[in-house]
Amino acid sequence: MSFLTYLEKNSPRISELIANYFRVDTNEDIKRYLYAPLAKYSSNGGKRHRPLICELAAGAVGGDPTKVSAAAAAIEHFHTAALIHDDIADESTLRRGEPCLHITEGLGLAINAGDLALSQVTGSVLDDKSLSESLRIRILEELVEMTTRTIEGQALDIGWARDGRFDLTIDDYLQMAKRKTAYYSGSTPLAVGAIIGGGTEEQIAVLRDFGMATGLAFQIQDDLLNLTGNKELLGKDYRSDITEGKRTLIAVHALMHSEQNTELTAILASHTTASTMLACAVDIMEAAGSLEFACDYATGLVAVAKAEMADKLEDNEYTKLLLQMADFFIERMR
């Protein structure tokens, strides 16, 4: 089974698991103003790769993947909360082709729904009595660390935009992206799955590092696809990183190396939606070798991480799927 097939086969099961958290016995107005809109927003959840790789990590260390359900759901609840709040901060109107929650329900109710999703991050794990108390505490420590690091990354991303910061280095970008994306998109799901699966500390560390590398590659490939992906499929998101002035690895590299960095800075600061200006920015980045640099950087990250994991973990069906996950991220960039 390929990694993509694995996602497509199992994402409906995860979606049903997540939906169960919003089927509560409460009065109709609370359902109308909170649980129902949050359930609808959460149902548009993409491929659910975060909870599914949490399951794979448990299996990779010889554990039972079914035991991670609550922790996997917790990570997906965090993802939902982050998207709701990101949509508000970025003043977005669409999320995966559907109106954002603050567009359909208003700003106040959207913030409130995001807060509930955040509360489910801890609540899901605390309610899972199949895990020992000490194990629940350890998982909660992981989730608190994940939440804190992600919020730190978001602070950098938003703060740089607010203050018009373009004096950034590659290391600045990597510190932001690791925090904002890699912890919750790779590192923490794999570490949590390995912990619940009964992995050794060495196995947990290897999977954590693998998740950090692939999570960072995941962010870089998203940045690349935003600029060079299918315009029809991306819709309004096509080249939106330029409009929003995002400090992506590609943009930072170009600002450091292009002779046209003054022109690029002006475009990124203008919040333009003009297709000619967006194309001009991409041309500047490409001429500076920044697209190629980003692709090569992500490919190198994944190659090193795969070699480490293949050396340290048993060669079973779960490990093979995780290795395919890394390849899947890179293939999407080509």
Side-chain angles (χ1 to χ4, degrees), residues 121-122 139-149:
V121 176
T122 52
I139 298 306
L140 288 176
E141 289 173 345
E142 293 283 341
L143 295 176
V144 168
E145 175 76 1
M146 174 194 77
T147 302
T148 303
R149 297 289 85 79

Side-chain angles (χ1 to χ4, degrees), residues 159-305:
W160 290 340
R162 186 197 70 180
D163 293 346
R165 292 281 305 280
F166 292 102
D167 58 332
L168 304 171
T169 66
I170 299 298
D171 187 61
D172 291 329
Y173 167 83
L174 294 175
Q175 289 299 317
M176 181 275 291
K178 285 178 181 177
R179 285 171 165 81
K180 183 177 178 180
T181 302
Y183 270 91
Y184 91 94
S185 289
S187 185
T188 301
L190 294 185
V192 165
I195 291 167
I196 296 175
T200 66
E201 292 304 318
E202 181 182 45
Q203 289 173 326
I204 294 166
V206 167
L207 280 162
R208 190 190 303 279
D209 291 345
F210 180 78
M212 183 62 70
T214 54
L216 184 54
F218 180 83
Q219 180 60 60
I220 294 170
Q221 62 95 15
D222 263 8
D223 296 342
L224 283 161
L225 288 173
N226 184 272
L227 301 181
T228 64
N230 187 301
K231 182 177 180 179
E232 286 69 34
L233 289 177
L234 290 170
K236 289 185 178 181
D237 286 335
Y238 183 65
R239 296 183 171 173
S240 60
D241 283 354
I242 300 172
T243 301
E244 295 171 16
K246 291 282 187 182
R247 278 65 168 172
T248 64
L249 180 62
I250 308 148
V252 171
H253 181 273
L255 289 168
M256 292 176 65
H257 295 90
S258 175
E259 294 179 357
Q260 297 174 275
N261 59 359
T262 301
E263 184 178 355
L264 180 59
T265 298
I267 294 173
L268 291 170
S270 71
H271 302 294
T272 181
T273 58
S275 59
T276 54
M277 296 300 289
L278 300 180
C280 179
V282 174
D283 288 344
I284 293 171
M285 294 174 187
E286 188 164 19
S290 303
L291 297 173
E292 183 179 2
F293 171 81
C295 187
D296 288 347
Y297 191 93
T299 302
L301 274 175
V302 167
V304 172

Side-chain angles (χ1 to χ4, degrees), residues 117-132:
L118 277 178
S119 79
Q120 292 282 14
V121 176
T122 52
S124 301
V125 176
L126 286 173
D127 289 341
D128 184 5
K129 299 306 188 288
S130 70
L131 303 179
S132 68

Side-chain angles (χ1 to χ4, degrees), residues 88-140:
I88 294 168
D90 294 340
E91 299 181 348
S92 301
T93 57
L94 294 175
R95 170 65 62 179
R96 297 195 182 98
E98 297 290 333
C100 297
L101 196 61
H102 66 277
I103 299 297
T104 60
E105 301 299 324
L107 188 61
L109 287 176
I111 292 172
N112 200 49
D115 291 345
L116 174 63
L118 277 178
S119 79
Q120 292 282 14
V121 176
T122 52
S124 301
V125 176
L126 286 173
D127 289 341
D128 184 5
K129 299 306 188 288
S130 70
L131 303 179
S132 68
E133 184 175 335
S134 61
L135 189 53
R136 275 178 279 156
I137 290 172
R138 182 168 183 186
I139 298 306
L140 288 176

